[in-house]
Amino acid sequence: NAGVTQTPKFQVLKTGQSMTLQCAQDMNHNSMYWYRQDPGMGLRLIYYSASEGTTDKGEVPNGYNVSRLNKREFSLRLESAAPSQTSVYFCASSGEGSGGPGRAYEQYFGPGTRLTVT
Amino acid sequence: AQSVTQLDSHVSVSEGTPVLLRCNYSSSYSPSLFWYVQHPNKGLQLLLKYTSAATLVKGINGFEAEFKKSETSFHLTKPSAHMSDAAEYFCVVSDRDSSYKLIFGSGTRLLVRP
């Protein structure tokens, strides 16, 4: 049981290049998330997928796209990377459904992808 | 809007002494609350969670937190710090209007001195 896995672990891009970050979970979770972590700012939600076939914007979606490929996999794409997207990216998943508004279930995180855009 | 404030960006303790990491949340309802720990260059690991059952919540590695609605606080404590506790700790609150969104504090870095 690997939990949440992410690839790659590290990536360096030049401004304007594109790339896709991959995420997979083996916990049979319905919901999956992409966050970015910047110094002193905690984690900020980029996009999430409440269930297979649905995706929604989070707090900082500009410059990103996502695909929920199946129940296990949720990818994040940078179409034209910018230096402001230099960050550590975390994927997470959470259990079946939720407790309702205000009752989010705990999320389980992958090890992260450290992205530098020059 | 909901928010969560971690009152100290850095806390330094000696090994074997108590740990207190402070967290206040703003909310007009009783949210779900979590503490996560992040060791250097690692992902986040759930320490404990509060979901309206017992107000004193026990977590992994000897940590516990007490939910105090009157003070809107959810402070994290441990009786005796260990060197391996050195990490960044995040207090997290569930978003009132969403079943899925979490709101993260900015983090408290815990340093443990030998």
Side-chain angles (χ1 to χ4, degrees):
Chain A
N1 190 340
V4 180
T5 57
Q6 293 182 236
T7 56
K9 286 187 168 51
F10 301 93
Q11 184 71 48
V12 179
L13 292 177
K14 294 188 191 308
T15 298
Q17 288 185 319
S18 62
M19 79 161 295
T20 300
L21 282 64
Q22 306 286 356
C23 174
Q25 53 92 8
D26 62 3
M27 295 176 283
N28 200 35
H29 285 168
N30 270 348
S31 306
M32 297 185 73
Y33 312 80
W34 277 106
Y35 291 90
R36 59 178 289 171
Q37 182 179 32
D38 301 293
M41 300 188 73
L43 271 71
R44 293 182 292 169
L45 182 65
I46 304 171
Y47 271 94
Y48 69 101
S49 170
S51 60
E52 188 177 353
T54 69
T55 60
D56 287 283
K57 294 178 181 179
E59 183 184 354
V60 288
N62 291 345
Y64 305 96
N65 285 300
V66 291
S67 296
R68 183 73 182 266
L69 305 169
N70 48 56
K71 190 171 185 178
R72 288 186 64 248
E73 298 173 290
F74 188 39
S75 63
L76 177 72
R77 183 160 178 83
L78 287 69
E79 290 291 352
S80 179
S84 61
Q85 294 178 306
T86 293
S87 189
V88 182
Y89 292 85
F90 288 100
C91 178
S93 69
S94 66
E96 297 293 328
S98 76
R103 282 279 178 261
Y105 286 173
E106 64 270 25
Q107 296 177 13
Y108 296 88
F109 287 81
T113 295
R114 195 170 294 272
L115 175 66
T116 301
V117 183
T118 61
Chain B
Q2 302 86 59
S3 66
V4 57
T5 302
Q6 293 185 242
L7 296 162
D8 306 291
S9 60
H10 293 81
V11 169
S12 181
V13 301
S14 297
E15 189 175 22
T17 64
V19 175
L20 169 63
L21 305 183
R22 300 182 294 164
C23 173
N24 285 108
Y25 66 94
S26 68
S27 177
S28 57
Y29 68 107
S30 290
S32 296
L33 290 156
F34 310 87
W35 276 99
Y36 281 85
V37 60
Q38 184 180 29
H39 290 277
N41 301 314
K42 300 288 187 186
L44 279 73
Q45 180 185 17
L46 180 69
L47 271 181
L48 51 80
K49 63 181 179 181
Y50 166 77
T51 54
S52 78
T55 56
L56 183 61
V57 181
K58 293 189 184 301
I60 62 172
N61 300 335
F63 284 95
E64 61 183 36
E66 186 171 8
F67 173 72
K68 292 187 176 180
K69 187 172 182 178
S70 61
E71 299 176 11
T72 60
S73 69
F74 190 57
H75 301 335
L76 182 71
T77 60
K78 183 174 181 178
S80 175
H82 191 272
M83 296 298 292
S84 60
D85 294 328
E88 187 141 24
Y89 292 79
F90 293 95
C91 182
V92 182
V93 63
S94 58
D95 186 298
R96 172 182 188 157
D97 298 321
S98 170
S99 304
Y100 303 98
K101 294 180 182 177
L102 299 180
I103 300 167
F104 286 77
S106 56
T108 297
R109 187 165 297 278
L110 177 65
L111 173 66
V112 182
R113 302 185 303 272

